[in-house]
Amino acid sequence: MKILITGGAGYIGSHVVKALAEAGYEVLIYDNLSTGNKWSVLYGELIVADLSDKETLKKTIVKFKPDAIMHFAASIVVPESVRLPLKYYRNNTINTLNLLDVMLQCEVKKLIFSSTAAVYGMPEAIPVDENAPMNPINPYGASKMMTEMILRDMHLADNDFNYVSLRYFNVAGADKDCRIGQAYKESTHLITRALKTAKGQFEKLQIFGTDYPTPDGTCIRDYIHVDDIADAHILALKYLLDKGKSEVFNCGYGHGYSVREVVDTSKKVTGIDFKVEETGRREGDPPILIADNTKIKQGLNWEPKYDDLEYIIKTAWKWENSYPEKYS
Ligand code: UFG
């Protein structure tokens, strides 16, 4: 089976490419390398091109003839999306439209889409399940919600077109063999930020808000290891290849940790008592985001293997300590 992966040189995409290739799928990666890296592509050929370049995209799909496409390529930084909304609607929504157009022209009718818990905004019930209304509170979440709506309508128009949308919660950690991991210099994500602070790349870690309605006053998130996310993609792919119909699944462990708990575990794992500063809330942060994962467990038989914050942070720490030397 042949799978085309957009954004396959990025953090999550590269872990899925690894999992696909190691499970015996033939992979082709399509990535503009705006945030991805050539060295992240452990398997398969890399086509360096943008999804706005429909001609190259079409040529690539016509030549490769994928059985399914996995679509990771997107911009993902929430605060940036508030500053630069058009970048997000262009990269995430319009570029997905381009991909869907070409898929239709080439009769490729199976897609796995990287969606996000950000589509829920501030959910009323926690844990949040897939039936909760989509009510994003930033352009990033809105750009992904729009794509989900387009996909739903495409399926309604043509029942042979089927997709799985995976709504990721807080993805973290790195490949256990330390070959790939998150590699954004200016990462804004909590775990990466904490570890870079432990390494001395930042003077201090700021905790954004200590007055939330949570036990210790800081926000709670459902942190999930990137290899468990990769497994969910393989299962979603098997489901679609087995003639499964369009579905949306949450990808999270179903429980969460506060910012303080993540900071304490990061200090424990690294053995470094890095400086922490408590500051005001960051705009657009929901107090608690935890997945109800009943549907993916039942629908895809997904069983997480790395549901352990310490393990997640250990793999990320090992990676933080190896990649700059190896690749910069
Ligand atoms: N945080 C800090 N200090 C930091 C960085 C983060 O206190 O330096 C806090 C945030 O305020 C938030 C929590 O840590 O309360 C997690 O923040 P992240 O930036 O790591 O992640 P988000 O929850 O904001 O967003 C992430 C992804 C989104 C995805 C979302 C789904 O970036 O793409 O998870 O839960 F939509």
Side-chain angles (χ1 to χ4, degrees):
M1 284 283 166
K2 297 200 279 187
I3 316 298
L4 180 84
I5 301 107
T6 78
Y11 168 50
I12 301 175
S14 63
H15 284 80
V16 177
V17 166
K18 173 194 74 171
L20 283 167
E22 290 175 1
Y25 294 93
E26 191 180 334
V27 292
L28 178 68
I29 293 86
Y30 192 97
D31 197 304
N32 66 6
L33 296 184
S34 60
T35 55
N37 297 286
K38 265 189 194 152
W39 52 257
S40 301
V41 179
L42 298 178
Y43 299 94
E45 188 192 343
L46 166 67
I47 307 287
V48 181
D50 200 272
L51 287 171
S52 60
D53 178 359
K54 282 171 90 171
E55 209 180 304
T56 304
L57 183 60
K58 188 167 179 182
K59 269 191 205 147
T60 305
I61 291 179
V62 166
K63 189 165 169 226
F64 186 58
K65 296 189 183 62
D67 296 284
I69 294 183
M70 292 197 181
H71 178 37
F72 296 90
S75 301
I76 58 152
V77 180
V78 172
E80 184 191 51
S81 79
V82 177
R83 258 189 319 112
L84 302 173
L86 294 187
K87 173 174 173 182
Y88 281 70
Y89 293 120
R90 191 173 296 115
N91 274 349
N92 297 359
T93 313
I94 297 180
N95 277 350
T96 307
L97 264 185
N98 288 343
L99 173 65
L100 292 169
D101 255 346
V102 176
M103 283 177 70
L104 272 189
Q105 287 166 22
C106 301
E107 300 257 315
V108 179
K109 297 203 169 184
K110 295 183 195 318
L111 179 77
I112 295 181
F113 173 60
S114 298
S115 190
T116 168
V119 297
Y120 295 119
M122 307 250 185
E124 276 179 20
I126 295 290
V128 59
D129 70 28
E130 294 83 352
N131 294 319
M134 291 197 276
N135 199 8
I137 53 171
N138 50 58
Y140 167 66
S143 69
K144 292 280 184 174
M145 176 190 72
M146 289 177 191
T147 306
E148 283 207 22
M149 293 164 89
I150 294 167
L151 292 174
R152 185 196 59 194
D153 291 343
M154 280 190 60
H155 173 70
L156 290 175
D158 173 2
N159 264 257
D160 290 337
F161 173 84
N162 284 290
Y163 67 92
V164 169
S165 267
L166 295 174
R167 292 181 181 161
Y168 310 155
F169 283 65
N170 288 58
V171 187
D175 169 43
K176 66 175 175 353
D177 302 321
C178 213
R179 293 167 293 175
I180 47 179
Q182 200 177 75
Y184 313 129
K185 278 191 205 92
E186 292 301 325
S187 179
T188 57
H189 290 128
L190 178 62
I191 291 179
T192 310
R193 198 84 188 180
L195 298 180
K196 285 189 188 297
T197 309
K199 277 202 80 183
Q201 287 175 26
F202 298 105
E203 184 217 336
K204 62 194 173 196
L205 178 83
Q206 293 187 309
I207 294 186
F208 299 133
T210 53
D211 58 349
Y212 284 99
T214 59
D216 70 15
T218 65
C219 289
I220 295 177
R221 294 288 182 274
D222 188 335
Y223 295 92
I224 170 170
H225 193 276
V226 63
D227 282 334
D228 274 332
I229 286 274
D231 279 351
H233 285 76
I234 304 279
L235 294 169
L237 176 64
K238 286 183 178 155
Y239 167 83
L240 280 184
L241 293 174
D242 207 23
K243 302 198 168 38
K245 291 289 174 196
S246 296
E247 276 295 356
V248 175
F249 296 106
N250 281 342
C251 271
Y253 290 147
H255 60 89
Y257 295 95
S258 71
V259 175
R260 282 192 212 279
E261 286 172 319
V262 170
V263 169
D264 289 347
T265 311
S266 301
K267 286 186 175 181
K268 183 176 162 203
V269 166
T270 61
I272 299 168
D273 187 15
F274 53 85
K275 190 171 164 195
V276 173
E277 179 185 68
E278 296 182 0
T279 62
R281 292 182 176 196
R282 191 176 71 175
E283 206 186 325
D285 274 341
I288 308 179
L289 258 184
I290 294 176
D292 182 328
N293 60 14
T294 313
K295 189 175 171 190
I296 189 167
K297 283 184 158 177
Q298 288 177 355
L300 298 183
N301 287 321
W302 180 68
E303 266 314 317
K305 296 192 187 85
Y306 309 106
D307 179 1
D308 173 352
L309 184 64
E310 219 171 290
Y311 174 79
I312 292 174
I313 295 179
K314 270 185 189 155
T315 58
W317 179 235
K318 199 169 160 200
W319 170 248
E320 270 311 317
N321 284 298
S322 72
Y323 94 87
E325 288 76 19
K326 271 192 208 158
Y327 303 110
S328 62

